[in-house]
């Protein structure tokens, strides 16, 4: 597998979870808002809509390789912040695994920000 194909596959794998999670949030904004409120954050509905929109837009941007560096940094930060807020009960093994998953995804996005999206991307076509 050449590097452009590997980077395309990496972008697909990184983007898929955010696109699907965002679409799922759109299907249950009230549930997402309730979960956000359960950790003590205000404006649950507003944050639920914001998260849903951000996840879908950023996921699609990564998938297409559009503004890859910017969206990689944004998603890396989103992963770290959401891990710290929503998955900080380290006594619960599932929450610990979810925390570590978020950190691993942040690392993948940071690596993507450095490597770039590869030649099979909108960014490469625009260059």
């Amino acid at each position: 597998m050449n590097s452009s194909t590997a980077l395309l596959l990496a972008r697909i794998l990184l983007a898929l979870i955010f696109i699907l999670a965002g679409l799922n949030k759109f299907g249950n904004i009230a549930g997402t808002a309730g979960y956000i409120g359960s950790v003590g954050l205000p404006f649950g509905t507003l944050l639920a809509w914001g998260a849903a929109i951000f996840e879908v837009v950023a996921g699609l941007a990564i998938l297409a390789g559009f503004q890859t560096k910017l969206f990689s940094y944004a998603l890396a930060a989103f992963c770290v912040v959401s891990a710290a807020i929503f998955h900080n009960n380290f006594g619960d093994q599932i929450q610990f695994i979810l925390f570590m998953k978020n950190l691993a995804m942040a690392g993948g996005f940071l690596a993507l920000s450095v490597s770039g999206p590869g030649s099979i991307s909108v960014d490469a076509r625009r260059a």
Side-chain angles (χ1 to χ4, degrees):
M1 177 180 316
N2 67 34
S3 63
S4 290
T5 304
L7 285 167
L8 173 61
L9 182 58
R11 290 194 342 260
I12 291 167
L13 294 173
L14 284 166
L16 191 59
I17 192 169
F18 290 95
I19 295 167
L20 295 176
L23 292 174
N24 188 53
K25 283 176 179 62
F26 282 127
N28 188 11
I29 289 293
T32 302
Y35 182 60
I36 290 169
S38 75
V39 298
L41 290 176
F43 311 111
T45 301
L46 181 63
L47 289 174
W49 279 105
I53 292 166
F54 174 75
E55 287 180 326
V56 171
V57 169
L60 289 172
I62 292 295
L63 181 66
F66 174 73
Q67 295 290 314
T68 305
K69 183 174 271 197
L70 172 73
F71 282 105
S72 291
Y73 285 142
L75 281 164
F78 183 85
C79 288
V80 171
V81 169
S82 61
I85 293 171
F86 296 104
H87 305 302
N88 57 20
N89 179 4
F90 300 133
D92 179 339
Q93 184 178 13
I94 298 299
Q95 290 302 313
F96 178 73
I97 290 168
L98 290 172
F99 181 88
M100 296 305 295
K101 178 236 353 150
N102 277 36
L103 294 185
M105 289 190 306
F109 283 118
L110 291 175
L112 185 61
S113 76
V114 172
S115 70
S119 63
I120 308 169
S121 67
V122 173
D123 288 346
R125 290 188 155 257
R126 294 175 71 213

